[in-house]
């Protein structure tokens, strides 16, 4: 077993890990290849991250696969990413089943090509009873758009007298987000050295620990995930309280 994995306290692992998988383009460029080559080589990293999270008992992993802003990339790259999504979902289904991986998606799924929507819906349906880990793909996802949507839907209920304005609280807002069935993020990892959250899970990351690594996404392996988790375990999560309160379990 890996030394890093042995050092992890399995009683205190993040329940929900979110990852911004960045650096595919730079990885490919460094090898004198087209950007799409980087995306194709990102799949091993996806498998490793999910398997590593599963190994330590993490129940939710959410990957930023395609942002609302990514629609502005050259059509060739957008098409390649959509094909990659369709082909990998189909190809990986037996592995999802074997490893108890439940597939979920968040984002403006209506904007995806019909083929991608269909395959995604099939894989979500086929894996709905798996319970080892929930793997959520953020697709055509934007944190602000998600919040705008939630506000619109809540407002409609208020206007229709289905909801009292005074009843609006964190819980109500949570239940109107794409992530209504997911817990808050505990640990957010971003690869490739960029230190931004880029419109990812804005509401859900309110108390997340942030971890940035220089590793480019296609090079990301289990060991890198374990390092991030060890770093997380050395932090004190106070949720606005004092250290003394946390120590005395108040
Ligand atoms: C960021 O690298 C990555 C993306 C915009 C796409 C993420 C997609 C994958 C990891 C492909 C596999 C995913 C699925 C769901 C099949 P970048 O292109 O922004 O890299 P750069 O910053 O170096 O240009």
């Amino acid at each position: 077993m890996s030394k890093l994995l042995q050092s992890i306290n399995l009683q205190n692992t993040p329940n929900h890990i979110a990852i911004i998988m960045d650096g595919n383009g730079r990885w490919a460029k460094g090898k004198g290849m087209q950007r799409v080559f980087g995306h194709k080589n990102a799949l091993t990293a996806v498998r490793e991250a999910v398997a590593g999270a599963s190994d330590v008992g993490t129940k939710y992993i959410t990957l930023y696969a395609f942002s609302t802003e990514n629609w502005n990339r050259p059509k060739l790259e957008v098409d390649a990413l959509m094909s990659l999504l369709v082909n990998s979902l189909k190809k990986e289904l037996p592995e999802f089943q074997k490893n108890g991986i439940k597939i979920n998606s968040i984002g403006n799924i209506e904007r995806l090509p019909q083929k991608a929507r269909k395959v995604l819906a099939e894989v979500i349906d086929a894996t709905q009873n798996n319970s080892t880990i929930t793997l959520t793909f953020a697709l055509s996802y934007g944190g602000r758009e998600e919040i705008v949507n939630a506000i619109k839907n809540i407002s409609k209920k208020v206007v229709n007298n289905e909801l009292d304005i005074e009843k609006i609280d964190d819980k109500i807002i949570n239940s109107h987000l794409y992530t209504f069935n997911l817990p808050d993020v505990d640990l957010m990892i971003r690869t490739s050295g960029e230190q931004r959250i880029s419109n990812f899970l804005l509401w859900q990351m309110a108390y997340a620990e942030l971890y940035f690594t220089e590793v480019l996404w296609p090079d990301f392996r289990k060991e890198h995930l374990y390092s991030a988790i060890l770093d997380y375990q050395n932090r004190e999560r106070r949720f606005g309280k004092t250290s003394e309160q946390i120590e005395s379990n108040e």
Side-chain angles (χ1 to χ4, degrees):
M1 205 204 297
S2 110
K3 266 222 167 81
L4 285 175
L5 178 55
Q6 278 178 331
S7 317
I8 291 175
N9 169 7
L10 295 176
Q11 307 308 316
N12 178 32
T13 51
N15 184 40
H16 186 178
I17 299 176
I19 307 184
I20 301 181
M21 311 181 284
D22 200 5
N24 296 348
R26 276 163 283 167
W27 184 90
K29 215 170 159 197
K31 297 193 154 25
M33 303 293 280
Q34 302 285 328
R35 300 176 51 78
V36 171
F37 183 70
H39 298 316
K40 287 188 179 151
N41 280 277
L43 294 174
T44 305
V46 171
R47 282 188 211 104
E48 289 262 330
V50 177
S54 241
D55 288 348
V56 300
T58 288
K59 299 303 285 180
Y60 299 88
I61 182 162
T62 300
L63 305 178
Y64 207 0
F66 196 89
S67 71
T68 43
E69 290 74 24
N70 287 153
W71 289 115
N72 299 323
R73 290 196 174 190
K75 184 174 176 330
L76 211 68
E77 185 172 344
V78 171
D79 289 350
L81 277 167
M82 290 301 145
S83 303
L84 192 62
L85 174 70
V86 169
N87 295 335
S88 351
L89 283 174
K90 275 195 204 159
K91 191 167 150 240
E92 296 293 320
L93 181 58
E95 286 297 306
F96 296 153
Q97 302 298 37
K98 192 173 111 199
N99 299 316
I101 301 169
K102 176 175 172 164
I103 302 299
N104 180 45
S105 69
I106 54 174
N108 188 354
I109 302 300
E110 298 300 305
R111 268 190 90 177
L112 300 180
Q114 212 242 324
K115 182 98 190 277
R117 290 206 309 267
K118 183 169 174 278
V119 173
L120 188 62
E122 282 167 5
V123 174
I124 289 175
D125 185 57
T127 60
Q128 63 177 329
N129 294 322
N130 292 345
S131 59
T132 304
I133 190 165
T134 297
L135 164 58
T136 300
F137 291 107
L139 293 162
S140 188
Y141 175 88
R144 287 190 172 179
E145 187 190 73
E146 177 181 40
I147 293 170
V148 168
N149 250 329
I151 292 174
K152 281 186 184 160
N153 289 327
I154 292 171
S155 306
K156 278 183 204 154
K157 290 186 182 168
V158 171
V159 169
N160 292 335
N161 287 325
E162 290 165 30
L163 179 64
D164 179 350
I165 204 160
E166 293 306 323
K167 291 252 160 68
I168 298 174
D169 59 6
D170 282 24
K171 263 200 187 141
I172 295 277
I173 293 177
N174 260 322
S175 68
H176 288 79
L177 297 173
Y178 295 132
T179 52
F180 68 92
N181 52 358
L182 301 178
D184 273 0
V185 174
D186 299 300
L187 170 64
M188 195 286 290
I189 300 171
R190 181 170 191 153
T191 56
S192 90
E194 308 293 350
Q195 304 199 355
R196 295 187 286 278
I197 54 175
S198 300
N199 205 13
F200 192 36
L201 300 170
L202 299 177
W203 172 274
Q204 302 83 344
M205 277 206 243
Y207 290 101
E209 296 295 332
L210 309 182
Y211 179 88
F212 301 100
T213 169
E214 295 289 327
V215 175
L216 300 175
W217 180 253
D219 290 328
F220 194 86
R221 294 294 175 269
K222 277 185 181 184
E223 301 300 307
H224 300 114
L225 184 87
Y226 298 152
S227 295
I229 294 174
L230 281 167
D231 194 86
Y232 165 90
Q233 293 191 328
N234 284 325
R235 306 204 190 165
E236 182 187 56
R237 303 188 74 200
R238 292 200 294 274
F239 300 95
K241 293 184 177 176
T242 65
S243 286
E244 292 73 23
Q245 282 175 305
I246 299 292
E247 276 157 27
S248 63
N249 224 350
E250 265 177 53

